[in-house]
């Protein structure tokens, strides 16, 4: 399949991996992200290999930015939409603000819903197309202590399954891609220190994208890349919830606590 593919959050991590893979597969690209300079750099990188690459600098947490992208999607025959843009917060809900929580929901939930709705009528009319909504294993079953990120991703997964079921008979595929820990800028941008996470738990963005596109072709509505996370999701769905809660630990705010501990240790050393 070729045609126009739209990727949000396209300048790093999973979004950039999708952009490179879809470009290599022959798609023309419309890339969306907040940072105009990084978008231009990505377009230059991909454009040098041939093919059409357009960019739309937009902040999808704002009404103006979201409306600008929606307009593009409604007016053009989009064959593939990848809703990759998303954020997390480096604090527990009780330490958060309403403004930050609304910003998280605007990007993780509202933008996914509105951009999916912008492309689906055209896809259904043409009888083909695909939507990949990047979710997370964090959205399966067990709430993460103090985290609204996991709740937002639970919505993305359920939404994708529900919408995918409603349009599959029309030749359109909608899928939630639910990776585990992936080597991207995501945690760094959120201020979350992941240095204690074992190396074996990390996935490569290119491998996540390859698994996701393979599962989309197979008609799956939920894709969980890598066998270890498939096992983890099976456990989340079938093991007693109390057992899963005891195995879950909150990584939010770890940078702040680590910095406090380090400063406190240095202060004590200075006194001794």
């Amino acid at each position: 399949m070729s045609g126009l593919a739209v990727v949000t959050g396209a300048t790093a991590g999973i979004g950039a991996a999708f952009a490179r893979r879809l470009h290599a597969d022959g798609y023309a690209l419309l890339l969306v992200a907040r940072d105009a300079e990084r978008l231009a750099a990505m377009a230059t990188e991909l454009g040098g290999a041939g093919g059409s690459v357009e960019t739309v600098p937009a902040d999808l947490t704002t009404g103006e930015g979201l409306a600008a992208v929606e307009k593009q999607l409604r007016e053009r025959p989009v064959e593939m939409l990848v809703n990759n843009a998303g954020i997390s917060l480096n604090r527990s809900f009780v330490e958060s603000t309403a403004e930050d929580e609304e910003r998280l929901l605007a990007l993780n939930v509202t933008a996914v819903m509105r951009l999916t709705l912008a492309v689906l009528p055209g896809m259904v009319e043409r009888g083909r197309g695909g939507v990949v909504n990047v979710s997370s294993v964090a959205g399966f079953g067990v709430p993460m202590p103090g985290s609204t990120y996991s709740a937002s991703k639970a919505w993305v997964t359920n939404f994708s399954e529900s919408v995918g079921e409603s349009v599959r008979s029309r030749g359109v595929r909608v899928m939630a891609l639910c990776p585990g820990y992936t080597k991207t800028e995501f945690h760094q941008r959120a201020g979350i220190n992941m240095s204690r996470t074992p190396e074996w738990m990390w996935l490569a963005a290119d491998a996540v994208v390859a698994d996701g596109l393979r599962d989309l072709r197979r008609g799956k509505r939920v894709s969980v890349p890598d066998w270890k996370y498939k096992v983890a999701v099976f456990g989340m769905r079938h093991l007693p919830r109390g057992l899963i809660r005891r195995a879950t630990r909150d990584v939010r705010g770890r940078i702040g606590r680590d910095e406090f501990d380090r400063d406190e240790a240095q202060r004590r050393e200075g006194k001794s």
Side-chain angles (χ1 to χ4, degrees):
M1 181 186 292
S2 60
L4 177 63
V6 180
V7 183
T8 70
T11 58
I14 293 173
F18 263 111
R20 294 186 181 102
R21 173 61 185 269
L22 293 172
H23 184 265
D25 287 347
Y27 285 89
L29 296 180
L30 181 65
L31 307 180
V32 181
R34 290 186 303 168
D35 192 322
E37 290 186 3
R38 295 185 73 177
L39 270 177
M42 177 63 72
T44 299
E45 173 194 333
L46 297 175
S52 171
V53 182
E54 302 174 68
T55 62
V56 179
D59 183 350
L60 297 178
T61 68
T62 68
E64 296 81 5
L66 185 54
V69 178
E70 279 180 304
K71 184 174 186 295
Q72 292 267 355
L73 270 53
R74 288 198 181 100
E75 294 177 348
R76 306 180 67 173
V78 177
E79 294 287 345
M80 175 80 72
L81 168 64
V82 179
N83 278 312
N84 168 72
I87 55 173
S88 185
L89 301 175
N90 182 24
R91 65 184 69 91
S92 173
F93 179 70
V94 296
E95 299 170 337
S96 189
T97 66
E99 292 77 15
D100 283 344
E101 295 296 335
E102 287 176 350
R103 184 166 59 92
L104 180 147
L105 291 174
L107 188 56
N108 293 9
V109 174
T110 303
V112 171
M113 178 272 292
R114 286 178 55 172
L115 296 186
T116 301
L117 186 58
V119 300
L120 278 185
M123 289 181 175
V124 168
E125 183 178 351
R126 293 188 298 274
R128 65 180 187 275
V131 177
V132 177
N133 294 322
V134 179
S135 187
S136 171
V137 296
F140 285 103
V142 180
M144 296 173 64
S147 168
T148 47
Y149 172 79
S150 59
S152 73
K153 291 305 185 181
W155 184 92
V156 171
T157 301
N158 191 293
F159 168 76
S160 302
E161 288 188 273
S162 300
V163 174
E165 180 65 27
S166 70
V167 298
R168 67 172 181 167
S169 64
R170 307 295 296 274
V172 180
R173 295 172 178 176
V174 179
M175 186 188 78
L177 175 60
C178 304
Y181 294 132
T182 306
K183 290 184 177 180
T184 69
E185 298 177 2
F186 179 80
H187 296 99
Q188 180 182 358
R189 286 187 172 188
I192 301 172
N193 181 5
M194 302 299 294
S195 61
R196 299 176 189 173
T197 304
E199 183 65 24
W200 62 266
M201 294 184 68
W202 290 100
L203 304 177
D206 288 341
V208 168
V209 169
D211 285 358
L213 290 175
R214 179 201 63 209
D215 286 344
L216 183 70
R217 290 192 298 269
R218 293 176 175 176
K220 291 188 176 182
R221 286 188 290 283
V222 177
S223 171
V224 180
D226 198 90
W227 67 268
K228 54 182 169 283
Y229 285 106
K230 287 180 170 63
V231 171
V233 167
F234 178 86
M236 291 177 190
R237 285 178 158 174
H238 298 287
L239 291 176
R241 292 176 68 84
L243 178 62
I244 300 299
R245 288 193 189 97
R246 287 194 294 272
T248 303
R249 60 192 180 101
D250 183 18
V251 299
R252 306 274 186 257
R254 190 177 295 164
I255 282 181
R257 289 194 292 270
D258 286 351
E259 289 177 346
F260 175 83
D261 292 342
R262 183 173 61 250
D263 292 344
E264 182 67 9
Q266 290 173 349
R267 184 183 65 81
R268 289 179 179 175
E269 288 176 2
K271 285 185 176 181
S272 58

